[in-house]
Amino acid sequence: MSRRGGGRRSSEPRPDQGSSTPSPSFQRGGGGDRGRGRGRRGGFTPAPSPAPVRAPPPAASGYLSATAGPSTSLTPQKMASSSTAPPPSASSSASMVELSQEIAKKLSFGSTSATGGSVPVSSKAIVPPPRPQLGRIGRKCTIRANHFVVEVSDRDLFHYDVAITPEITSKKVNRDVISQLVRSYRESHLGNRMPAYDGRKSLYTAGALPFEAKEFVVKLVEKNDPASSSSSVKKERQFNVAIKYASKVDMHHLKEFLSGRQKDVPQETIQILDIVLRASPSEKYVTVGRSFFSLDLGKKGELGNGIEYWRGYYQSLRPTQMGLSLNIDVSARSFYEPILVTEFVAKYFTLRDLSRPLSDQDRVKVKRALRGIKVEISYRDYARSFKVTGISNLPVDKTMFTLDDKKTKVSVHQYFWDRYNIGLKYTSLPPLQAGTDAKPIYLPMELCKIAGGQRYTKKLNERQVTALLRATCQRPSARENSIKEMVGHNDYSRNVLVRNEFGIQVKEELTSVDARVLPAPMLKYHDTGREARVDPHLGQWNMINKKMVNGGRIDFWTCVNFSTRVQRDLPFEFCRQLMDMCNSKGMEFHPDPIIQIHSADSKYIEKALHDVHKKCTAKLANQKGKQLQLLIIILPDFSGSYGKIKRICETELGIVSQCCQPLQAKKLSKQYLENVALKINVKAGGRNTVLNDAIQRRIPNVTDFPTIIFGADVTHPQPGEDSSPSIAAVVASMDWPEVTKYRGLVSAQAHREEIIQDLYKKYQDPQKGLVHSGMIRELFIAFRRSTGQKPHRIIFYRDGVSEGQFSQVLLHEMQAIREACGTLEEGYCPRVTFVVVQKRHHTRFFPADHNKRDLTDKSGNILPGTVVDSKICHPTEFDFYLNSHAGIQGTSRPTHYHVLFDENNFTADGLQTLTNNLCYTYARCTRSVSIGQTIIPPSSFFM
């Protein structure tokens, strides 16, 4: 089966619901037809009775071996005996229920998550395995990283609680209040201390304040209230600020942690130092998460539709092997243009004539685009800002409201003429609405200007994304220089709060890091090709003189063309050449389509696809079990139809489709045809290439015993989509020892829920009793049927988890894996290695010398295969950065791998080499990729 798999269609029987017993057979349904016959196929025999799963002794040292479920205890002698030997039987009498209770007890579960499961009270319950040792394999080299060494003097840090009355939601206003307090009372009441403030409830000082608790009165001048242009009088707001001692921060804990003598992360201490380093830019720039943006940090640029981008930088303080490190990277974000609302509406809808009323559909779009943003209104002697809550259903000349006398009703248009002698130009446009529905405030669009510095949080369209990438894409040398300029602009060494008050020193040089370039794996192709093996060079190779190692077979196919810009005969010629390419590369492609190749109107995509399905089904009605295997689709000329086509084909009709861009199709390029052939072969159940070391059984911890490799991810909705579900996706290898073919499953779950809910589930069925299901279970059964083996080892790559979620995700998902395995066979507990994969970080690597060709690839980036596990990595835990791919444009982003649990006792070289090798098995192209084939987001399922 191919990697994409497509999951299970609703019409297929569910292999995990065939019995009411808690311990069903792992070999249900026979299977193993496509196995390689390595020894006997036995293994997963039915349990004689629904006995509880028992836990064997811990298999490896670590926090989960005694807490997260049964753990296999395979000795080296057992591992070497036979690849078909079953795992050792359980030896403990703890049941699943007892096991869960033990987990809750040992990990101090206290709270309950939104999903109903228990979660640990703190991350202190979790201690990931230590780094085994530094890796040695590969050619040594030196590179630079955008990490800057931070040195901290030994000063006492104190934490104070802050309460501002009346309460303010704006961090900016809070900072203004505390800044005014420091200016007014620093010498008289604060002991000449200069505090660092987080904008909310906490204040930090280097040295104690001369009081335990004190209240202050602070008067803040309003900057944006109604005011006469000729008046010098400003409105003052008065605040009461209560400051109370909270705690003294232990700096010794930080030193012990950085030296490896303390396991618990001193999160509070690191957070305080981070706040100190962020205090000054937080006052000067627009803050977005851990990034800062300002027009002072670079030129802005237009993205279209009333949106622009600002340049800025990302900053984060991190504990590393070399001590504290400040990670700094250049960044860019989208902002609203500070223009009149009428200009924004014209740009947003590309309207030239604003004198015509908006349609109901456009009015709703305007409301969505403007809701929640701040606008400034200024006319005559009146100036004020408002937050938009909506827009009126009627234009300004028909939107009525009651005056202060509570009798007279007047239109917005008439009111501005009578009160301010302003004649509104765009009387057909609806006014903006501020305030509440009970007491609305109506503001004419043409008098309102969008306040500057407001981030655009909605999804950018394809054109805007392209413009942003084009504007911010920098070659490594240019990006490195930009980072240096940003550090110089910040000038930490001269910042009074940072250097003088807290004694923090930030070095201005990028960190030089020892790295290694791992060798590329040898790839195996079919022996009948002129080249049966290939050694990739700089992360890429080609298919010239090579044949797919396992060619798929396509008997029933057809093609539909939705493009109007290709010649009439193009679809026929394109399919003919594509078929010839597939056959030449080792596939068996039937020369004739099942129904005639034809073109269809792109306005009726859904109807055309249903017609194709109906005709093909009718044509194959007399051939039992036969169905359309492949639908080749030449996409419409406009963008945005791909998702719709895939949804209809893959989820509604059960059709495997291959979409082709019309501009590429009409070129009839051999390179493009070859690339499409690679994708089709995988969808037909074939394999393009395999790792030669896998064939030779030379991959440690993979090819010695049956091993299943998982990749998992959760994709969340775009900001603003409050009701859409999150989509969990899990893929698993279906062939061993090659680990090249994968099956994928997807599942919708609660909005923005990161923990995968459907890994394992159980429920009571009225007829069947207790039913076990879930993605882990289904993929294990599929592996057994495909290979004739049961996995003795699990390698689980988990994408998309932030550091703050490590504990929760690991505990819940490891528990699900354990429970799923326990229901397949009594005492069945394969060893697990759980690795988190992170791409959303800001660590970048640069060649030590940009001019040396042997240190860079063609794009100027570091070489593919470059791995770093020292200096900038975690002080004690098992993590590493791997740049497995060759750069194309811009600066390559290495992938960060962090091992949270390891019962397989991987060495650094073993896991780094395996991970790098998996990046060469991606089915869609002849290039290494940034994340291995198993670690893919849901959007990559449908190629």
Side-chain angles (χ1 to χ4, degrees), residues 309-505:
Y309 67 85
W310 287 17
R311 298 184 186 273
Y313 68 96
Y314 167 92
Q315 173 180 305
S316 177
L317 186 65
R318 306 184 60 81
T320 64
Q321 289 156 294
M322 65 180 181
L324 289 177
S325 166
L326 192 62
N327 180 205
I328 297 178
D329 189 25
V330 291
S331 185
R333 287 291 185 273
S334 54
F335 287 80
Y336 287 93
E337 284 190 75
I339 55 178
L340 290 174
V341 174
T342 46
E343 292 182 60
F344 175 81
V345 172
K347 287 187 173 184
Y348 196 79
F349 294 101
T350 61
L351 299 175
R352 295 182 180 179
D353 185 9
L354 292 178
S355 62
R356 303 175 64 179
L358 294 177
S359 65
D360 289 340
Q361 185 178 6
D362 286 346
R363 183 181 56 78
V364 171
K365 290 181 179 179
V366 171
K367 181 180 179 179
R368 288 176 180 169
L370 295 176
R371 180 188 291 165
I373 73 168
K374 184 190 291 185
V375 296
E376 299 168 342
I377 186 166
S378 178
Y379 44 85
R380 300 295 187 269
D381 60 347
Y382 189 87
R384 193 174 176 186
S385 65
F386 295 89
K387 181 173 285 188
V388 177
T389 58
I391 65 174
S392 173
N393 295 331
L394 300 171
V396 290
D397 59 354
K398 294 181 180 178
T399 300
M400 309 294 289
F401 69 98
T402 305
L403 296 177
D404 293 338
D405 61 10
K406 299 183 180 179
K407 296 180 181 178
T408 310
K409 280 197 171 185
V410 64
S411 70
V412 175
H413 175 256
Q414 189 64 39
Y415 173 81
F416 275 86
W417 175 254
D418 294 341
R419 181 73 180 270
Y420 300 104
N421 198 28
I422 295 177
L424 299 179
K425 180 179 178 181
Y426 302 111
T427 57
S428 296
L429 292 178
L432 301 176
Q433 181 178 323
T436 63
D437 290 336
K439 197 173 181 180
I441 300 172
Y442 294 111
L443 310 168
M445 288 186 183
E446 61 193 85
L447 299 181
C448 295
K449 181 181 179 181
I450 297 175
Q454 296 184 83
R455 186 187 173 196
Y456 182 76
T457 59
K458 298 174 178 62
K459 184 178 180 180
L460 298 175
N461 60 40
E462 290 183 15
R463 185 168 50 83
Q464 290 170 329
V465 171
T466 301
L468 181 61
L469 292 175
R470 187 182 297 117
T472 57
C473 183
Q474 291 180 297
R475 291 291 191 190
S477 57
R479 193 183 191 102
E480 184 178 0
N481 290 332
S482 296
I483 292 172
K484 290 179 181 177
E485 291 175 5
M486 204 66 74
V487 174
H489 185 275
N490 291 338
D491 201 6
Y492 298 99
S493 60
R494 295 187 182 181
N495 186 285
V496 175
L497 179 70
V498 173
R499 182 68 183 269
N500 299 344
E501 187 72 19
F502 282 84
I504 301 174
Q505 183 176 356

Side-chain angles (χ1 to χ4, degrees), residues 16-152:
D16 53 7
Q17 294 183 357
S19 172
S20 61
T21 59
S23 303
S25 168
F26 203 169
Q27 60 178 4
R28 186 169 310 285
D33 293 340
R34 290 188 291 172
R36 299 184 177 276
R38 304 182 188 92
R40 63 184 180 85
R41 295 181 186 272
F44 295 97
T45 57
S49 62
V53 176
R54 297 180 174 85
S61 60
Y63 57 95
L64 252 168
S65 58
T67 59
S71 177
T72 307
S73 182
L74 292 175
T75 63
Q77 291 79 11
K78 291 178 182 178
M79 291 288 284
S81 62
S82 170
S83 64
T84 57
S89 61
S91 59
S92 173
S93 60
S95 67
M96 274 294 188
V97 175
E98 293 169 340
L99 180 64
S100 298
Q101 293 172 348
E102 185 73 7
I103 294 172
K105 179 180 177 182
K106 291 193 175 185
L107 293 182
S108 302
F109 285 109
S111 59
T112 301
S113 68
T115 59
S118 298
V119 296
V121 174
S122 77
S123 61
K124 292 183 179 180
I126 298 300
V127 181
R131 186 185 308 280
Q133 75 286 310
L134 298 180
R136 298 179 181 179
I137 294 178
R139 178 169 61 87
K140 294 182 179 180
C141 64
T142 301
I143 59 177
R144 287 193 291 268
N146 58 336
H147 284 244
F148 299 83
V149 176
V150 176
E151 296 177 351
V152 183

Side-chain angles (χ1 to χ4, degrees), residues 856-922:
T856 67
D857 61 15
K858 295 178 181 179
S859 67
N861 280 284
I862 58 173
L863 296 171
T866 301
V867 64
V868 172
D869 58 3
S870 64
K871 219 163 187 180
I872 63 167
C873 293
H874 193 279
T876 59
E877 294 172 10
F878 188 2
D879 72 326
F880 58 92
Y881 291 91
L882 172 63
N883 186 85
S884 56
H885 64 295
I888 299 177
Q889 59 180 357
T891 303
S892 297
R893 180 185 348 216
T895 303
H896 184 229
Y897 298 88
H898 200 129
V899 181
L900 300 189
F901 181 52
D902 182 26
E903 288 181 316
N904 293 301
N905 297 321
F906 268 99
T907 64
D909 283 328
L911 187 59
Q912 291 166 9
T913 301
L914 169 64
T915 303
N916 185 57
N917 289 355
L918 289 174
C919 295
Y920 283 79
T921 62
Y922 195 47

Side-chain angles (χ1 to χ4, degrees), residues 140-182:
K140 294 182 179 180
C141 64
T142 301
I143 59 177
R144 287 193 291 268
N146 58 336
H147 284 244
F148 299 83
V149 176
V150 176
E151 296 177 351
V152 183
S153 61
D154 192 10
R155 301 187 184 184
D156 293 332
L157 302 183
F158 290 82
H159 175 202
Y160 293 86
D161 290 329
V162 176
I164 301 176
T165 309
E167 190 173 349
I168 314 164
T169 57
S170 169
K171 275 190 175 183
K172 185 180 185 308
V173 178
N174 281 338
R175 293 185 193 281
D176 291 340
V177 171
I178 298 301
S179 295
Q180 182 62 42
L181 184 150
V182 173

